Amino acid sequence: MKTGFVSNIKSVMRLCSFLIVLFLLAGCKGKQKVCDTCLHELYAPLLEDDPTEYPIMSSMFERVDTVFLENAGYESIIPSVDEVIAFHDTIIVRSANTLFFFNDKGKFLRRFDRLGKGTGNYRTIDRFDVLPERGELYIMDGHTNNIFVYGMDGSYKRSVQIDDYVCDFAVLPDGGFLFANPIKYTGRNHRRGLWKTGADGRFIKQLVEFDPEFAHVSLNTPYINHISPGVIGFMGIEDNDKFYHYAGDSISVTCRMVTDIVMPDELKRSDKVFVNPQKEYTKCGYLETPRFLYFVNTNYGANLMIVFTDKKDWTTYRMYVYTGEFNHDKETREPFPFLVGSYNGTLVGFYDSGMILDNERFKSLFPTIKKDSNPVLLFFRE
């Protein structure tokens, strides 16, 4: 009885996958039928030519806010935008190993930089997070394998030693952590997948496991995102390609990506990347809100597609295939920024001054931008 049930489920899942592929190949705009008895599958092909209709972003969100970040002098100049977290009336922009604080109108507040040796100083900022309820800022330093905790005013509070190699993290409301690592190491038995620790960094339980024999994976953060105050999202890697939600101390699977590259077994078991880019792929750039899912699927530059999914009806848009010409350069398309952050229901993208001044259409949209202007942030709010 059990065997027949499993066989039926597998048949349904294969049928759903087949219908999804047929639907996309028929030239529609990527809309996928929702199957209540199987996992949502997001078809993200890299090798076939399958352009889909470009979404009008502004019509999909409740509103889009533009924030011009003030350049108030040398201390406020932002060379690059690597991460953005916005909460209440505060915006924090990470540029390499420095954090820049602005208010929600873009006025510069302060610069945070404690790069160095000694108590209270970090060596790198690999990722950062906040716990607004406690007024705390958390910095993950991969060089020393510590989480450094500061007050929002920059005052040092404590550090938490990380026992395993970690690629990404999120702080929980109780001060505990979620840690993620996709990489399999030889010589030392580091944890892989997603796991939970206490506020002291001590292991509590494994939440997501990866195939122990699967070695091939690329290092591309982020893996973890705050979807809403009670839900944290996690992007799996190539051995399962699933997307997870952590809520109420439990984990669930929402959907998985399906691509047209079938990775050979010898590559799956190899800990080397870039062996044969046409036969390898990875996911990166993961961001998620309650309604939208965004990530990039690529076989290491040979092809690249941005996947943007509206989870309301599981419409999936293929934003572009990387050919050197971006869709936002076309007059019929709405400008689309580089998305660099999502926090509790808001997606954040940016244009820097170089991007704007090199494009006539962008210059007309942002006429006040000068060469020394700080980046412009766009907040897509649900």
Side-chain angles (χ1 to χ4, degrees):
M1 181 71 177
K2 184 176 181 181
T3 302
F5 177 78
V6 172
S7 177
N8 289 337
I9 290 295
K10 288 183 177 179
S11 298
V12 172
M13 292 181 71
R14 283 195 295 269
L15 178 60
C16 288
S17 299
F18 178 70
L19 290 175
I20 288 169
V21 173
L22 284 182
F23 197 80
L24 286 169
L25 291 177
C28 296
K29 64 177 183 178
K31 187 170 182 179
Q32 301 176 10
K33 298 294 184 182
V34 175
C35 177
D36 294 330
T37 59
C38 67
L39 204 64
H40 292 295
E41 293 188 337
L42 310 179
Y43 186 49
L46 284 171
L47 302 182
E48 67 181 51
D49 183 16
D50 179 37
T52 55
E53 182 178 329
Y54 189 87
I56 303 301
M57 295 287 290
S58 61
S59 67
M60 301 174 75
F61 291 84
E62 183 176 329
R63 72 178 197 268
V64 181
D65 297 330
T66 302
V67 176
F68 296 84
L69 299 179
E70 178 188 19
N71 179 353
Y74 175 77
E75 289 292 307
S76 66
I77 297 174
I78 301 177
S80 63
V81 178
D82 298 307
E83 283 185 82
V84 177
I85 291 180
F87 57 95
H88 305 327
D89 59 353
T90 301
I91 299 170
I92 306 176
V93 178
R94 179 174 75 86
S95 179
N97 295 315
T98 303
L99 300 179
F100 297 85
F101 286 70
F102 298 84
N103 70 13
D104 57 357
K105 306 300 181 184
K107 180 177 176 56
F108 177 68
L109 301 176
R110 61 189 174 278
R111 171 190 179 116
F112 180 77
D113 181 355
R114 292 197 59 163
L115 190 65
K117 298 180 181 180
T119 303
N121 295 329
Y122 56 81
R123 302 294 294 277
T124 63
I125 302 181
D126 293 276
R127 296 282 288 166
F128 83 98
D129 203 355
V130 296
L131 199 55
E133 295 77 12
R134 295 190 180 188
E136 291 183 338
L137 170 69
Y138 296 74
I139 288 177
M140 187 180 84
D141 179 358
H143 185 89
T144 64
N145 230 34
N146 276 278
I147 301 287
F148 289 95
V149 185
Y150 304 90
M152 289 298 174
D153 60 356
S155 58
Y156 172 67
K157 291 191 172 185
R158 62 189 180 278
S159 65
V160 179
Q161 182 68 41
I162 307 172
D163 293 332
D164 293 280
Y165 183 85
V166 172
C167 293
D168 200 1
F169 84 108
V171 61
L172 300 170
D174 64 359
F177 301 99
L178 295 184
F179 288 130
N181 168 41
I183 305 168
K184 180 179 180 180
Y185 288 94
T186 57
R188 184 176 177 184
N189 188 26
H190 285 285
R191 287 188 176 87
R192 296 179 72 197
L194 181 73
W195 65 95
K196 178 183 177 181
T197 77
D200 58 1
R202 293 185 180 182
F203 176 81
I204 294 178
K205 68 177 177 179
Q206 192 79 23
L207 297 168
V208 176
E209 295 183 354
F210 294 151
D211 181 350
E213 298 301 317
F214 192 102
H216 179 95
V217 67
S218 178
L219 253 179
N220 287 293
T221 54
Y223 297 99
I224 301 175
N225 274 280
H226 290 274
I227 296 175
S228 63
V231 181
I232 294 176
F234 172 63
M235 178 183 72
I237 51 137
E238 292 90 326
D239 72 322
N240 55 24
D241 283 318
K242 295 175 183 176
F243 294 85
Y244 303 84
H245 285 177
Y246 173 82
D249 201 31
S250 63
I251 200 84
S252 60
V253 180
T254 59
C255 60
R256 72 181 180 97
M257 185 197 75
V258 177
T259 190
D260 54 356
I261 294 179
V262 179
M263 195 183 299
D265 287 340
E266 61 268 23
L267 286 180
K268 293 180 180 180
R269 309 308 176 201
S270 172
D271 59 0
K272 298 178 180 179
V273 295
F274 312 121
V275 177
N276 187 336
Q278 288 296 323
K279 294 183 179 180
E280 304 174 44
Y281 72 96
T282 191
K283 302 197 303 295
C284 56
Y286 162 65
L287 302 171
E288 189 172 1
T289 66
R291 181 174 171 181
F292 297 101
L293 172 64
Y294 168 95
F295 64 94
V296 176
N297 184 29
T298 178
N299 53 343
Y300 304 98
N303 294 286
L304 179 152
M305 70 171 289
I306 292 178
V307 182
F308 191 81
T309 299
D310 185 346
K311 295 183 291 182
K312 183 177 180 180
D313 58 6
W314 293 95
T315 300
T316 297
Y317 298 93
R318 178 179 179 142
M319 301 296 283
Y320 61 75
V321 177
Y322 180 71
T323 60
E325 294 291 332
F326 292 93
N327 279 347
H328 61 226
D329 290 332
K330 299 180 180 180
E331 292 299 325
T332 57
R333 304 281 170 82
E334 184 180 61
F336 185 74
F338 288 103
L339 295 179
V340 290
S342 62
Y343 189 81
N344 289 350
T346 299
L347 286 172
V348 186
F350 80 98
Y351 298 114
D352 62 31
S353 60
M355 295 164 60
I356 294 171
L357 297 176
D358 285 344
N359 185 292
E360 291 300 322
R361 188 176 180 203
F362 286 0
K363 284 197 290 186
S364 66
L365 291 172
F366 307 106
T368 62
I369 293 299
K370 301 177 182 179
K371 188 176 181 180
D372 63 348
S373 295
N374 264 337
V376 178
L377 300 184
L378 280 81
F379 292 86
F380 297 88
R381 305 187 189 278
E382 296 184 4

